Amino acid sequence: MSHASDLIETDILAYLEQHERKEILRFLTCGSVDDGKSTLIGRLLHDSRMIYEDQLEAIRQDSRTIGTQRGGVDLALLVDGLQAEREQGITIDVAYRYFSTARRKFIIADTPGHEQYTRNMVTGASTCDVAIILIDANNGVLPQTRRHSYIAQLLGIRHLIVAVNKMDDVSYEEPVFDAIRDEYFAFASKLPVDDLDFIPLSALLGDNVVEQSANMPWYQGATLMHLLETIPVAAVRDTERLRMPVQYVNRPDADFRGYCGSIVGGVARPGDVVTVLPSGRTSAIDRVVTADGDVEEAFPPMAVTLTLKDAVDVSRGDVVAGAGQLPHTADRLDATVVWMAEEPLALGKPYVIKHGARKVTGQIDAVRYHTDINTLAREPASTLALNEIGRCAFTLAEPLVFDAYANNRDLGALILIDRISNATVGAAMIHSPGGSTSGDAWEEVPHGDLHASPSRVTPNELQTRLGQRPVTVLFTGLAKAGKTAIARAVERRLFDQGQLATVFDGQSFRLGLSRDLGFSARDRSENMRRAAEAARLVNEAGLICLTAFVVPQESVRERARGTIGEDRFLEVFVTAPLDVLKERDEDGLYAAAERGEAPNVPGVTAPFEEPGGADLVLHTDELGLEESADQVVALLRERGFIF
């Protein structure tokens, strides 16, 4: 499995040429503490015969001295080179190792498992194509396993290999592997991952690492090495839009002025029309110069010097872009931040924002939400603590030229630096201001520098005139539970008492504002987003908004709460046994679902996540319509929304 070849003896130049043409795969190992990441890398190097004899002998001697393997060879010492790492048996810093086989060359990043070294894991993952998630078969899926998986996909890694390690400690039992696989799959199904593979192995003994294990005949899949050699990895590069951040202006004499940098997107050719940002000046490429002379085209990740046909002012930190498809230029942006400092994120505090070769001063105006690593739920937050991840709104002292991180890693990444200590306190991935690349409109940032105009009627004046405080009540539950009927009954009850309310329900929205939507999970989410935005405007007019939507996902309901505001949002779970709902179903929805004719019916052919903390639960198989309405009105009165 090593890179050894007969060509070395017969034609060394042919061998070197063949070796140079091999595809490079960058991957990292990550997971929780003591899951066996360094041992796995050592085993890969050992079994692929990439360790020199003197190295192996030195490791044998160190293993006897340290004694971590009770007389055996501790292959983790190949990677853990720091004295503190060897003393504690852990990885602290990112360790990079190189090896090759007949098919590929590999660069490995061994990242630490301790939570306090999450920043090191982010560093290691930022340039990788594949992540190997190590899970100790004795411990199963841990919070750090989830954190590293989430960070890996945030950084654009779409190929995950889940290696359930230490199977020898659990007697190679298949049920142990199956349970861990199912638990992790339930978590990972919420992540945008293209490929997900599971392998049971023992890094210590070599089972299923390079050679197939005889101890696990129940596993008929590929070994880890086979997956690494064959997994299809396309370079995450934007090949359509030319992007070159300028790192240096080269002026060796009066006759030459070139702009040096690496191509991070698209193709540069002599004669191509380009725009220099942020100035917006346009010119055309005259020459594309490399260390080997002029070339007819340059592409990622080539380092080149461009000369332009016109005398355009270009400085370090500017971006040369294809004239037809420009990146964004703005002093306000949204980005997902991984916070790396002991001191929590401070809103309004000036930070140095490093973006490629450019540094600007900026601040974080708001934390839109932070992500619970265990559930991936988005929760309201006003700050981020060490290792927390959240979406933040930035204001910068100067405009930046950027792409969304999902489109271009190089132009979409930020580093936050403390101005006093000069320490890196956060890493950030920029979102597109023109729309979410995932198609999720909750993530979109409005176009342009927009501001809502304030009303000349104050909230107190509205409250006094209407005799009520604005609130949105979300009636959620399965179809035919009675959501809309109860909302209409409450509307009538409030009107009779002198209060004003309006009703939004799923069907009325689909007749108008959401007529373009279907019933997929994404479309249901977008339907609720539109309803939440409309409800927020209705509340700002002083009215009570009664919304009746299925909303099967808890995360979407929480997003609606965040859009409308925690202080004026109530959730009412309307429920009844499924058999009762089917009896009420005059439209035949449930029957069609059971026949396989309706693929996205929550409760039958799609999941429904019951609310865990509803403000009120109405069992409509036990309560009548008027009694249900009474309980909702009582809730509104109890919470001070009606007087």
Side-chain angles (χ1 to χ4, degrees):
M1 297 297 294
S2 74
H3 72 296
S5 169
D6 293 339
L7 283 175
I8 293 179
E9 298 179 2
T10 60
D11 190 343
I12 186 65
L13 294 179
Y15 164 74
L16 291 175
E17 183 180 356
Q18 180 190 70
H19 187 65
E20 185 179 0
R21 290 199 303 266
K22 289 179 186 176
E23 182 182 37
I24 296 178
L25 175 70
R26 294 175 172 85
F27 70 91
L28 80 155
T29 57
C30 53
S32 194
V33 181
D34 292 330
D35 281 347
K37 297 178 289 297
S38 299
T39 301
L40 177 63
I41 293 177
R43 174 60 63 183
L44 278 170
L45 297 175
H46 179 274
D47 288 6
S48 59
R49 300 192 292 281
M50 288 301 298
I51 307 174
Y52 294 110
E53 285 298 328
D54 58 339
Q55 286 182 301
L56 191 57
E57 181 57 34
I59 295 300
R60 290 194 184 103
Q61 293 179 9
D62 288 344
S63 297
R64 287 193 290 269
T65 301
I66 299 172
T68 57
Q69 296 300 333
R70 299 183 297 277
V73 178
D74 186 0
L75 295 174
L77 298 180
L78 284 165
V79 184
D80 293 335
L82 299 178
Q83 181 177 353
E85 294 179 322
R86 295 190 170 200
E87 289 173 349
Q88 300 178 57
I90 63 171
T91 299
I92 295 175
D93 201 0
V94 182
Y96 293 95
R97 290 295 181 268
Y98 166 86
F99 76 103
S100 69
T101 67
R103 297 185 179 183
R104 272 181 176 164
K105 294 182 286 187
F106 300 93
I107 298 175
I108 317 169
D110 180 27
T111 61
H114 280 75
E115 184 174 342
Q116 71 192 86
Y117 302 124
T118 295
R119 61 187 296 166
N120 297 23
M121 184 269 167
V122 172
T123 300
S126 61
T127 59
C128 289
D129 309 301
V130 175
I132 300 176
I133 311 293
L134 266 288
I135 298 178
D136 188 331
N138 299 285
N139 301 325
V141 180
L142 299 175
Q144 194 70 337
T145 312
R146 296 184 174 93
R147 176 177 285 105
H148 282 187
S149 301
Y150 183 67
I151 292 174
Q153 65 83 26
L154 269 183
L155 291 169
I157 298 176
R158 295 292 181 264
H159 304 270
L160 301 184
I161 300 174
V162 181
V164 181
N165 192 25
K166 304 185 183 181
M167 288 298 296
D168 53 308
D169 284 353
V170 295
S171 303
Y172 301 104
E173 293 184 2
E174 183 179 6
V176 175
F177 172 75
D178 290 343
I180 293 174
R181 180 191 59 197
D182 294 344
E183 181 181 1
Y184 186 89
F185 187 81
F187 166 78
S189 61
K190 303 174 184 178
L191 300 176
V193 177
D194 295 336
D195 289 316
L196 182 59
D197 294 283
F198 294 87
I199 301 177
L201 55 81
S202 169
L204 182 64
L205 302 179
D207 295 282
N208 287 335
V209 179
V210 173
E211 303 294 339
Q212 200 80 28
S213 172
N215 296 309
M216 290 177 278
W218 44 266
Y219 175 73
Q220 299 298 316
T223 64
L224 178 61
M225 179 64 83
H226 180 77
L227 270 181
L228 291 175
E229 286 190 316
T230 59
I231 192 168
V233 179
V236 185
R237 298 283 185 180
D238 183 351
T239 59
E240 299 296 327
R241 293 168 287 194
L242 173 61
R243 304 285 189 265
M244 194 197 80
V246 177
Q247 299 177 3
Y248 174 68
V249 179
N250 186 9
R251 189 78 190 276
D253 54 55
D255 297 326
F256 185 90
R257 184 191 300 271
Y259 309 106
C260 309
S262 295
I263 305 294
V264 299
V267 179
R269 301 180 182 89
D272 286 351
V273 178
V274 295
T275 299
V276 179
L277 297 170
S279 68
R281 296 292 299 275
T282 299
S283 183
I285 298 175
D286 186 28
R287 298 169 58 193
V288 180
V289 185
T290 71
D292 298 322
D294 287 18
V295 296
E296 290 303 313
E297 64 177 22
F299 46 84
M302 291 176 62
V304 300
T305 297
L306 301 181
T307 66
L308 303 180
K309 293 184 177 181
D310 303 295
V312 178
D313 182 18
V314 183
S315 304
R316 173 179 166 85
D318 289 353
V319 175
V320 178
Q325 297 173 305
L326 299 181
H328 306 287
T329 302
D331 59 2
R332 298 175 66 189
L333 54 87
D334 263 33
T336 294
V337 176
V338 181
W339 194 249
M340 301 176 174
E342 295 283 351
E343 180 183 353
L345 180 154
L347 297 181
K349 176 181 177 179
Y351 293 100
V352 175
I353 309 296
K354 188 174 186 302
H355 179 248
R358 193 169 182 203
K359 291 182 179 180
V360 301
T361 301
Q363 67 182 36
I364 296 176
D365 298 321
V367 179
R368 300 195 186 279
Y369 58 79
H370 94 271
T371 302
D372 185 311
I373 294 299
N374 293 310
T375 63
L376 298 183
R378 294 167 177 180
E379 301 173 345
S382 58
T383 186
L384 294 177
L386 176 65
N387 295 324
E388 287 191 332
I389 301 169
R391 178 162 175 163
C392 301
F394 287 73
T395 297
L396 311 175
E398 305 171 33
L400 279 187
V401 180
F402 64 90
D403 280 313
Y405 185 85
N407 294 334
N408 193 306
R409 288 188 184 185
D410 299 270
L411 281 186
L414 300 175
I415 294 175
L416 285 76
I417 302 171
D418 186 274
R419 300 200 326 171
I420 305 301
S421 66
N422 205 38
T424 298
V425 295
M429 287 67 72
I430 304 174
H431 294 272
S432 171
S436 168
T437 56
S438 67
D440 186 353
W442 294 92
E443 301 293 342
E444 293 189 7
V445 179
H447 290 269
D449 188 13
L450 305 176
H451 302 279
S453 61
S455 172
R456 297 179 66 178
V457 181
T458 69
N460 285 335
E461 288 175 318
L462 287 170
Q463 181 174 311
T464 301
R465 173 69 60 86
L466 300 175
Q468 63 190 37
R469 286 175 49 220
V471 64
T472 292
V473 182
L474 172 60
F475 296 89
T476 181
L478 295 176
K480 306 303 177 181
K483 303 180 295 298
T484 300
I486 296 172
R488 290 296 184 190
V490 172
E491 177 191 31
R492 180 75 241 182
R493 191 72 53 85
L494 293 177
F495 182 81
D496 290 343
Q497 296 176 180
Q499 276 98 24
L500 289 179
T502 188
V503 174
F504 295 168
D505 73 282
Q507 292 204 28
S508 63
F509 257 65
R510 290 180 181 280
L511 290 172
L513 286 176
S514 297
R515 68 178 61 180
D516 58 317
L517 299 179
F519 292 90
S520 66
R522 177 174 293 178
D523 284 348
R524 287 183 182 276
S525 174
E526 171 60 11
N527 194 36
M528 189 64 238
R529 186 194 68 83
R530 297 177 188 182
E533 294 287 0
R536 179 178 59 82
L537 295 176
V538 166
N539 286 164
E540 289 176 359
L543 303 183
I544 294 171
C545 189
L546 308 171
T547 64
F549 293 82
V550 175
V551 201
Q553 293 179 298
E554 179 72 13
S555 61
V556 175
R557 296 192 289 266
E558 288 305 308
R559 284 173 158 185
R561 182 189 299 271
T563 297
I564 295 165
E566 180 75 29
D567 59 338
R568 59 185 189 192
F569 184 89
L570 296 175
E571 185 176 46
V572 177
F573 179 33
V574 184
T575 183
L578 188 58
D579 290 342
V580 174
L581 302 183
K582 292 178 180 177
E583 291 176 2
R584 297 175 182 172
D585 183 17
E586 298 177 353
D587 301 325
L589 177 66
Y590 288 114
E594 291 176 339
R595 292 193 303 268
E597 298 172 2
N600 295 303
V601 178
V604 182
T605 53
F608 180 87
E609 300 172 5
E610 294 191 1
D615 297 279
L616 178 65
V617 179
L618 298 175
H619 295 276
T620 57
D621 57 317
E622 302 173 358
L623 298 172
L625 180 59
E626 296 304 321
E627 191 175 0
S628 297
D630 287 342
Q631 291 197 21
V632 176
V633 172
L635 175 66
L636 292 172
R637 183 173 289 110
E638 175 188 332
R639 300 291 176 90
F641 292 108
I642 59 175
F643 316 132

